[in-house]
Amino acid sequence: MNVTEAVKSRRSIRQFIDKPVDRSVIDRVLVTAQRAPSGGNTQPWSAVVVGGDELARIAAAIKAKAQAAPMGEGAEYAIYPKELDGRYEEQRRGVGKAMFDAIGLERGDGAGRITQMAKNWDSFGAPVQLFTYTRKYMGPPQWSDMGMWLQTVMLLLREEGLDSCAQEIWAMYGTYMRELLGVDDDHIFFCGMAIGYRDADDPINNFDVSRVPISENVKFLGL
């Protein structure tokens, strides 16, 4: 698989099959992903890879926390800015509608949507989670570096025939996630990433995820 194929075939998978992921594959991906760029070679990302009984423990704890505080508790950053508007908000709402339409959930089916959202805590059936965090004093450039590393990981997973879903929803309980992972207060929790093999037949993995034409967000000068 070349880079273009990996980019085009990567998508956020929300239903995985029951198939284990070999630890050696994860090791290989993460070793190669260390080549991701970062300003001044700071490499500001840190992560915990979790599976098996440990992942079950974390999932159970977050499910209990979500029942007690369904709107979140201890979030350390805003997942979306309050000022999100225009095409940004339209795109956010649009992809949500496309996903719910694909699995036959009506707009008024609040219980169904909550049930679907709760599948995040089971990693959509994936056997591995990659939880990412960084030092609290890191600024926007280092967060950008962290994103480049995560994208590198996702593309390398595709090269290995694996799939992923980056999940910022875990950040709704950021301080609790750090407690569950044994991460100290000098750090800030960023996100999870479910890792496994996609269920290629599930409708939730097959709806169209549109992208704006580059004319809407790229300008050429002198070319």
Side-chain angles (χ1 to χ4, degrees):
M1 183 181 295
N2 61 37
V3 177
T4 298
E5 291 168 338
V7 171
K8 288 185 173 181
S9 64
R10 189 217 64 81
R11 63 179 292 144
S12 295
I13 296 302
R14 293 183 174 87
Q15 187 58 54
F16 293 81
I17 62 173
D18 183 15
K19 180 179 179 179
V21 175
D22 194 293
R23 162 70 186 273
S24 66
V25 177
I26 300 295
D27 284 346
R28 183 161 61 243
V29 164
L30 294 179
V31 167
T32 306
Q34 287 298 103
R35 302 303 306 173
S38 60
N41 198 31
T42 53
Q43 304 170 54
W45 51 81
S46 294
V48 181
V49 184
V50 187
D53 291 342
E54 277 298 294
L55 184 55
R57 174 185 68 86
I58 291 171
I62 285 293
K63 286 177 188 177
K65 178 67 75 173
Q67 282 192 333
M71 301 306 292
E73 179 182 277
E76 299 182 291
Y77 71 93
I79 295 176
Y80 297 106
K82 293 180 180 179
E83 300 82 6
L84 195 69
D85 62 5
R87 73 169 176 85
Y88 308 111
E89 179 63 6
E90 290 171 7
Q91 288 158 199
R92 187 183 74 85
R93 290 180 179 274
V95 75
K97 182 180 186 303
M99 181 183 72
F100 288 130
D101 286 350
I103 57 177
L105 276 178
E106 300 292 337
R107 180 178 178 83
D109 187 358
R113 292 187 174 213
I114 290 172
T115 298
Q116 176 59 41
M117 188 187 77
K119 292 181 180 180
N120 277 278
W121 312 134
D122 287 316
S123 304
F124 303 116
V128 175
Q129 266 284 349
L130 175 74
F131 293 112
T132 303
Y133 59 99
T134 191
R135 296 292 293 268
K136 282 185 175 176
Y137 61 66
M138 294 297 182
Q142 288 75 48
W143 280 70
S144 175
D145 295 340
M146 193 160 45
M148 288 191 285
W149 175 73
L150 287 167
Q151 173 76 336
T152 302
V153 170
M154 287 188 278
L155 296 181
L156 289 168
L157 288 170
R158 286 301 301 129
E159 183 184 56
E160 297 282 356
L162 283 158
D163 296 285
S164 62
C165 183
Q167 298 170 275
E168 289 173 311
I169 194 171
W170 296 88
M172 290 174 60
Y173 306 96
T175 56
Y176 190 46
M177 282 302 301
R178 286 196 292 102
E179 178 184 333
L180 293 171
L181 295 168
V183 176
D184 62 47
D185 291 341
D186 291 334
H187 292 82
I188 181 170
F189 178 84
F190 180 24
C191 68
M193 182 194 290
I195 298 173
Y197 296 91
R198 75 176 70 186
D199 183 340
D201 298 322
D202 197 294
I204 203 165
N205 293 331
N206 289 289
F207 66 91
D208 182 56
V209 182
S210 64
R211 295 292 192 267
V212 300
I214 64 169
S215 59
E216 289 200 30
N217 52 23
V218 177
K219 182 187 295 185
F220 291 92
L221 298 175
L223 293 175

